[in-house]
Amino acid sequence: MTIKPITVVFAAALALSIAAPAMAVGDLPGKLSQRQAAAIYKKIRPLLVAEGATCPAGQTVETGIVTGGSSPSGGSQTTTIMFNRGGKVVISRTWDLNVGKKLTISTKIDCS
């Protein structure tokens, strides 16, 4: 399921509030502890509920992983939160500093 854009401002604020520090291009994936992954999930859960998402119902957060990279002109980051019975929530963020010298942020959330 993909959440429809709510507003550009809200998506940008969400992306910046839950983003771990951007990793440099070529960095290895970073592992999230159960506590870190649960904190991120707690912040995005209201968005999933607002869209009527039922996944990952009845599951608890186990861990997560952050992959991605950045450069002076932009970057991308994917945060995957894994649950105890195989469910996962994937948060994909991209940002670009080249479009008219303004920061452009895009956020997509999928759950299964």
Side-chain angles (χ1 to χ4, degrees), residues 25 70-75 95-98 103:
V25 174
S70 66
S71 70
S73 62
W95 58 94
D96 187 357
L97 297 170
N98 286 332
L103 178 63

Side-chain angles (χ1 to χ4, degrees), residues 31-51:
K31 187 168 182 172
L32 299 173
S33 69
Q34 188 275 336
R35 182 178 290 199
Q36 292 169 316
I40 293 170
Y41 180 66
K42 183 178 178 181
K43 289 181 181 181
I44 64 162
R45 190 170 187 286
L47 293 174
L48 295 172
V49 170
E51 292 294 322

